[in-house]
Amino acid sequence: MDPHGTLALFDLRMREHARPDGPGVRVERVGGIVRATGAADDWNGVLWSDPGLTAGDARAGIAAQVAHYTSLGIGEFEWKLYAHDGPPGLGRLLTEAGFEAGGTETVLVAPVREQTARVPLPAGVRLRTVTGPAGVDLLVRAHERAFGTDGTRLRGQVLRRLGDSAFAAVVALADGEPVSSARMELYPGTGFAGLWGGGTVAAWRGRGLYRALVAHRAVLAAELGYRFLQTDATDMSAPILRGLGFTALTATTPYVFRTAP
């Protein structure tokens, strides 16, 4: 895989020409900025900005996005900034405008065909595809236990995507208890499938569940003709994915603007 060529393809197809990632979400290009707008609990924010923007253009674009989301009553939106984005100092301009920087993650990509080898599951563990509300409850329980976060928003997002052919979710059950879960976003026409939310409860880490969920989703993506798996990885998951053969393309930092207390 050519990292530079793959990054250019990622920028073009997944950011500059991004498509809606759920029902009711619209993607708009306004000037040199591409943004996604949906309901309050959808992901709302800026996906791409023209690398040719000047600092003045960027300041005006930032102010316009704040006005846009505020006018819709959306309490929080994100400017997804990548390490290679311009103009220089864009992160500083966002901070000056009231955005807060989150944790930086590594953008990792791997050819789908290299990730489809099935990983044996520990004794007593089985994978369950999420197809209905009961499965969503299991997925959310695993997610909350793995990450220590409230899964209310996640529950609403997954419930809305049930039956969507561009979305898949899976949960690992150990004797009926949810111990790991993961999701996949399929982006038709791009060649990319996104891996999201992979997490395992502490007591079950190191037993291959994370790797098994990557392989499970890779098989689904391969069957549908996708070329690449892509994910934004934390410092916890990045070493595992690198060990599986994923390549780092760049880094991304979420800059979040909260319009309501």
Side-chain angles (χ1 to χ4, degrees), residues 103-215:
T104 298
E105 296 179 323
T106 304
V107 180
L108 293 165
V109 172
V112 167
R113 65 181 182 276
E114 295 181 2
Q115 300 298 320
T116 54
R118 295 190 180 274
V119 176
L121 294 170
V125 175
R126 65 182 180 89
L127 301 186
R128 172 173 169 174
T129 301
V130 175
T131 58
V136 175
D137 288 342
L138 292 170
L139 180 143
V140 171
R141 281 170 55 196
H143 184 89
E144 290 179 331
R145 293 173 63 197
F147 294 103
T149 56
D150 186 326
T152 301
R153 183 177 182 182
L154 174 63
R155 176 178 281 104
Q157 291 172 337
V158 178
L159 283 171
R160 286 199 304 275
R161 300 299 297 275
L162 292 177
D164 185 341
S165 61
F167 177 82
V170 60
V171 59
L173 302 174
D175 297 322
E177 281 298 307
V179 295
S180 187
S181 64
R183 309 184 305 279
M184 180 167 65
E185 296 273 356
L186 300 166
Y187 306 104
T190 68
F192 288 89
L195 305 184
W196 304 106
T200 302
V201 302
W204 280 87
R205 290 173 189 161
R207 305 193 196 187
L209 292 182
Y210 187 94
R211 295 191 297 276
L213 294 183
V214 170

Side-chain angles (χ1 to χ4, degrees), residues 11-161:
D11 282 340
L12 178 68
R13 293 184 178 178
M14 294 288 288
R15 302 181 62 209
E16 185 178 358
H17 296 288
R19 304 181 185 195
D21 64 354
V25 177
R26 66 182 186 274
V27 174
E28 305 164 307
R29 181 165 183 163
V30 182
I33 291 171
V34 174
R35 69 188 180 205
T37 305
D41 58 352
D42 286 317
W43 187 89
N44 288 276
V46 173
L47 295 157
W48 179 86
S49 57
D50 191 320
L53 291 179
T54 65
D57 294 333
R59 287 190 182 94
I62 291 167
Q65 305 322 306
V66 171
H68 167 72
Y69 290 107
T70 301
S71 71
L72 296 175
I74 294 172
E76 177 179 307
F77 75 95
E78 179 181 323
W79 189 299
K80 195 166 177 61
L81 181 65
Y82 290 78
H84 58 290
D85 286 349
L90 180 54
R92 175 180 52 80
L93 297 179
L94 289 165
T95 300
E96 290 174 353
F99 288 74
E100 295 182 11
T104 298
E105 296 179 323
T106 304
V107 180
L108 293 165
V109 172
V112 167
R113 65 181 182 276
E114 295 181 2
Q115 300 298 320
T116 54
R118 295 190 180 274
V119 176
L121 294 170
V125 175
R126 65 182 180 89
L127 301 186
R128 172 173 169 174
T129 301
V130 175
T131 58
V136 175
D137 288 342
L138 292 170
L139 180 143
V140 171
R141 281 170 55 196
H143 184 89
E144 290 179 331
R145 293 173 63 197
F147 294 103
T149 56
D150 186 326
T152 301
R153 183 177 182 182
L154 174 63
R155 176 178 281 104
Q157 291 172 337
V158 178
L159 283 171
R160 286 199 304 275
R161 300 299 297 275

